[in-house]
Amino acid sequence: MTSVVITGNRYLIHPEQADRFGPFEKTFLAEGDSWMDASAAVQGSLPFYLAEEFNRRGKTHLIVNISTSGQTLQRISQTMSGEYLWWLQQLRYDAVLLSAGGNDFIDAARDEAPGEGLLRDMQGQPLPADGYACVRQDALASLVDGYLNPNFDAMYQALRSSARNAGTPLLLNCYDTPVARNAPAIPNLVGPWLWTAYRNNHIDPSLWPTLTAGLFKDIKGAVQAWPVGRTGVVAVPTTGVLVPAEADSTGSSGDWKNEIHPNASGWRKLARIWADLLA
């Protein structure tokens, strides 16, 4: 017997590929972005290393993975009538594992025209003492209060309304703070993310460390607020765990495979924290 992670689609077509390793002590549903995505083979993902950690502990658990790289919280909640809600109705889970919010912040910083997203356009502006001054606070409030919080609540309410999983715990990824650098997942195709956003908004590189620290403090704050007033919701304490990458590196460095995703050593550190809570 062993622990297994399998995509939802694969489990529907070939359940025997997972079930032959059972019976399972616990079953988990993984949903969210590339930190959970089983198809993110280039940089790895938490469920793969979580199954590895379960095996190291002699546990026999099943992780059904319905995550998608690049997924935003809004897209997850908008498709609740599809895969997420469907899977909540199929099995009883010991926990739902969710990684969401990070892409929403990054997209808001990177994808809008300079000065029209989460970041100020600093072209021709005096250099502030702290990079966090480059964040548009009105855009931040709109992102968190008008966008992330309602969409998370929709996911939470769907979970609590499901017949099989009304009492199932929901564990939230708090990410960790990366270093803005020119380290894409796939050169000229996927990433870098923060590096691109900062350059697009003409932010001086000397401001990048404090800007990134401030942004990821905001992400952590948003995620850590979601358990307040809600039952069975836990923010997993993963910030400050990983060794930072070198700012001038373009590949794997410290505990980071690329700019915003951990490498194998990083994933293993995070998996131990998640496995402790899921025990």
Coordinates of all heavy atoms in Angstrom, one line a residue, residues 16 25 33 63 71 79 82 108 121 137 157 162 201 237:
E16 N -8.9 2.4 -11.2 CA -8.1 1.2 -10.7 C -6.6 1.6 -10.6 O -5.9 1.0 -9.8 CB -8.2 0.0 -11.6 CG -7.5 0.1 -13.0 CD -8.2 1.0 -14.0 OE1 -9.4 1.5 -13.7 OE2 -7.7 1.2 -15.1
E25 N -6.4 5.3 4.0 CA -6.7 5.8 5.3 C -7.5 7.1 5.3 O -8.4 7.3 6.0 CB -5.4 5.9 6.2 CG -4.6 4.7 6.3 CD -3.3 5.0 6.9 OE1 -3.2 5.3 8.1 OE2 -2.3 4.9 6.1
D33 N -4.2 26.6 -7.9 CA -3.3 27.0 -9.0 C -2.1 26.1 -9.1 O -2.2 24.9 -8.7 CB -2.9 28.5 -8.6 CG -2.3 28.6 -7.2 OD1 -1.7 27.6 -6.7 OD2 -2.4 29.7 -6.6
I63 N -4.9 11.5 -2.9 CA -5.2 12.9 -3.2 C -5.8 13.0 -4.6 O -5.1 12.6 -5.6 CB -3.9 13.7 -3.2 CG1 -3.2 13.6 -1.8 CG2 -4.2 15.2 -3.5 CD1 -1.8 14.3 -1.8
Q71 N -4.6 29.2 -12.5 CA -6.0 29.3 -12.0 C -6.1 30.5 -11.1 O -5.2 30.7 -10.2 CB -6.4 28.0 -11.3 CG -7.9 28.0 -11.0 CD -8.8 27.7 -12.2 OE1 -8.9 28.6 -13.1 NE2 -9.4 26.6 -12.2
T79 N -16.5 28.3 -11.9 CA -16.7 27.0 -12.4 C -17.1 26.0 -11.4 O -17.0 24.8 -11.5 CB -15.4 26.4 -13.1 OG1 -14.3 26.4 -12.1 CG2 -15.0 27.3 -14.3
G82 N -19.1 23.1 -12.1 CA -18.4 22.1 -12.9 C -17.6 21.2 -12.0 O -18.2 20.5 -11.1
A108 N -3.1 41.0 -11.4 CA -3.5 42.4 -11.2 C -2.3 43.3 -11.3 O -2.4 44.5 -11.7 CB -4.1 42.6 -9.8
D121 N 2.5 53.4 -11.9 CA 3.5 53.6 -12.9 C 4.6 54.6 -12.4 O 4.2 55.8 -12.2 CB 2.9 54.1 -14.2 CG 3.9 54.3 -15.3 OD1 5.0 53.9 -15.2 OD2 3.4 54.7 -16.4
Q137 N -3.1 51.5 -3.3 CA -3.9 51.0 -2.2 C -5.4 50.9 -2.5 O -6.1 50.0 -2.0 CB -3.7 51.9 -0.9 CG -2.3 51.8 -0.3 CD -2.0 50.4 0.1 OE1 -2.7 49.8 0.8 NE2 -0.7 50.0 -0.3
Q157 N -18.9 28.4 0.9 CA -20.4 28.1 1.1 C -20.7 26.8 0.3 O -21.6 26.0 0.7 CB -21.2 29.3 0.6 CG -21.1 30.5 1.4 CD -21.4 30.3 2.9 OE1 -22.2 29.4 3.2 NE2 -20.9 31.1 3.8
S162 N -22.5 21.1 0.7 CA -22.4 19.8 0.1 C -22.8 18.7 1.1 O -22.4 18.8 2.3 CB -21.0 19.5 -0.5 OG -20.1 19.5 0.6
N201 N 6.0 48.5 -15.1 CA 5.5 49.7 -14.4 C 6.7 50.6 -14.0 O 6.6 51.4 -13.1 CB 4.7 49.3 -13.1 CG 3.3 48.8 -13.5 OD1 2.4 49.5 -13.6 ND2 3.2 47.4 -13.6
P237 N 0.7 27.5 7.8 CA 1.8 28.5 8.1 C 3.1 28.2 7.3 O 4.0 27.5 7.8 CB 2.0 28.4 9.6 CG 1.7 26.9 9.9 CD 0.5 26.6 9.0

